[in-house]
Amino acid sequence: MPERADPGTARLALSGVRKSFGAVHALADVRLELRAGEVHALVGENGAGKSTLVKILAGVHAPDAGELTMDGAPLTLTGPADARAAGIAVIYQEPTLFPDLSVAENIFMGRQPLRGLRRIDTTAMRERTTELFARLGVPLDPDRPARGLSIADQQLVEIAKALSFEARVLVMDEPTAALSGVEVERLFAVVRSLREAGAAILFISHRFDEVFALSQRITVMRDGRWVSTDPAEELDVAQVVRRMVGREVSQLYPKQQTEAGEVILQVRGLTRRGVFADVGFEVRRGEIVALAGLVGAGRSEVVRALFGVDPYDAGEVLVDGVRLPGSRPSAAMAAGMALVPEDRRQQGLVMELSIERNATLTRRWPLARFGLLGRGAERAAAQTWTQRLQVKAGRLDDPVSTLSGGNQQKVVLAKWLSTMPKVLIVDEPTRGIDVGTKAEVHRLMSQLAGEGVAVLMVSSELPEVLGMADRVLVMHEGRLVGEIARDAATEESVMLAATGQGGKP
Amino acid sequence: MTTTTRPESAPDAAEARARSGAAGIRLGHRLFVAREVGIGLALLLLIAVTTAVNPRFLSGQGRRDLMLGATILVVLAVGQAIVIITRNVDLSVGSVLGLAAFATGKLFLAMPDAPIVLAILVGIGIGVLCGALNGALIAVARVPALVVTLGTLYVFRGVDYSWAAGQQINAADMPAGFKSMGTADLLGVPLLALFAVAVLLVAGFYLRSYRSGRELYAIGSDPAAARLHGIPVGWRVFTALVVSGGLAGLAGVLYAARYGTLDAAAGSGIELNVVAAVVVGGVAIFGGSGSVYGAALGAVLLSTIGSALPVLKVNPFWQQAVVGALILAAIGLDRALAARVAHRLRGRKARGA
């Protein structure tokens, strides 16, 4: 680590930074000041522009306007190599390692120690890797391939990489999202020692306990704008949340009170070896049940299995008391289930097809006459649902890829709602969509529940879980570890269960 | 190792990690060794059986024929492996070979006294130009390599045909010095085969020991991550295509030296043999892993099958089927191994869950 700089001077500063992608303003007038020997937290809702900011610091995106300074001197980053040369290390939420290469090569890629004839000195590289791991206190083997490392270990490899080039600025984008409690502690110990060695650290997290435990100052962003920067000790969670959301949380979640009817969906002892085990729950007519938990807890895997996309090894799924055959999404659909998947670009939509085609994909057969799909029938059906969901689109025969994320999500919803499901499963229904559309999606879910649909919602956003759900099921490492009623559900109770530290099973 | 419900004491966890790490290398090592040793054993078995049927298969002339037969395929396979390691492919190598071979013939028709070195340089130069065109289209215009090189496969061949205009160059037109390069031996090994060995060793050394060589693997392993690492992905891919083109050009010169008789169809269809050799040799078709040594062994195996099947009195029809079966077996093996690794990782996670 470099020599300790004066605390108080900005090591890396951004001011007036602006960035647009096409018509979307990702960042507008953002400022940030990272000081040596300090952990600076950056918080904001999904879509607030944090990731774009990280990519600017990493040299991946060039800002449209604004300036960066390093130790007071202007800094221009034309690519990731520049950022590294300036001493900026970025650890992404999903570590970016090369799975086929060894851990040591991953750390030193492009900067391998050399010997005669500019050959790579593999012995020196291995030794230095071992030293780095010793400093971090992790017994990883330098020669093993990166493939198969846990996320936590991959992050430690990334940190070792940052150490190896004596990073002066360390940017960590939600590093703890997929870690267990022990792993988070280990990571924090490493981060604290880096801070003490004089590095400037930017820490992005959705977990407020971590933000307050680790950082000295907190910057809040909202809708691509800078909102505030304050010392951590002058803030509390409620203040930060209010600044992030910019309005009272209750307005965001227009949850109607509904009477839960009879049980529609029953899941008993569902097990997929190594992914989840013995998952059992019920969802009633008119109820919204949230499936909460950390990333990697197995929530998406459970809903994929119960819809029949993935196989399961044991257990059963019943709709209206009738057992579904496993591994057959068509059977699940026939029984009245609908699944709005997590990744709409990969799994929810055919990006190149038109909006109307996408919206009617689930009803190809009912809409067809003599096995042929008529354009008119398709269009009429698409029109009904896109109007009902207020999809903002130019023309229905435009490719769905031209829509914004929020409107794409509405098309996915339209596609499934048009099948009149009894059970609607939504996986991260509002990930990556703007606040306005979010509220519309929430209103829609609430309305559907009011009409008697059983809704099962997987969500990583706690406010959404707390705002929408009648009951919260919490998963931790492949098991259902808690069931919390709406009245008892708080950020704390859900988070404790999700991290496996509490919650009554 | 992401998951632990039981509170594990630290040394336990550390030990478990070290264990899994060691298992990782052992596994990685075994995969590597298994693949190259496996091909080597298959090759030895094939030679042994064929020699048992017909002892002349391994006579002095038989050995020479085997080595000469493999030479061109090995040179092309080394170039192809470098490209495939970056998660690209070069389908134009057969056409480049044809173009370079014909150019060599034309050169000697025009200048019967031209030095052999000049012929080699011209051949490589033509290949480099073709490779640069491929590389520029892939790296700058961002068109997938499969499409670009499929296009240039026809373009280069078309250029070759229009240039040749039906002309055939005969061995008699070639200077004796050049022809003798095709037949000369050094220490009992055909001179042409030594070219292949030299190319193989240089490429193997480069890919193992140089930063830019390792970056080719990184690009193939995860192109997006490579960009985030600041690796000049476009430039490296361009270079890989240029090298592949240059080696195809060299192969064209070797082809001219070996066969002497040339027309515009030289090397037609060889690109698929080359890709097959590389895949059989354990270079993952999606890049990131494998070695040029494996690719070269794959090439030797395929060309030896070509020579052995007639000796074994196998209907030539079956030769293609055997090559096809080998490719399927190689890919099947890859899938099975990958599935096993994934299963083991899943099993490991399950212990905690």
Side-chain angles (χ1 to χ4, degrees), chain A residues 95-103 105-106 109 145-148, chain B residues 81-88 213-227 229 231 233 237 283-290:
Chain A
T96 55
L97 299 180
F98 303 112
D100 300 297
L101 302 184
S102 76
V103 166
E105 283 202 279
N106 265 291
M109 180 53 68
R147 173 164 287 138
Chain B
I82 293 173
V83 174
I84 289 184
I85 280 169
T86 67
R87 205 182 276 194
N88 286 287
R214 300 313 298 170
E215 286 176 359
L216 295 179
Y217 281 92
I219 291 166
S221 193
D222 188 338
R227 286 209 172 78
H229 273 249
I231 294 173
V233 175
V237 168
V283 175
I285 194 76
F286 286 118
S289 68

Side-chain angles (χ1 to χ4, degrees), chain A residues 262-292:
Chain A
E262 72 274 27
V263 172
I264 293 193
L265 174 69
Q266 272 177 294
V267 178
R268 291 187 198 141
L270 207 64
T271 301
R272 183 172 185 209
R273 257 196 316 277
V275 184
F276 51 81
D278 197 20
V279 172
F281 57 87
E282 292 177 345
V283 185
R284 293 166 180 278
R285 188 181 285 280
E287 210 183 19
I288 299 181
V289 175
L291 199 51

Side-chain angles (χ1 to χ4, degrees), chain A residues 143-145, chain B residues 18-29 344 348:
Chain A
D143 287 328
R144 68 156 291 164
Chain B
R19 264 205 316 273
S20 75
I25 336 173
R26 277 203 301 277
L27 193 70
H29 196 67
R344 283 173 54 142
R348 199 179 293 158

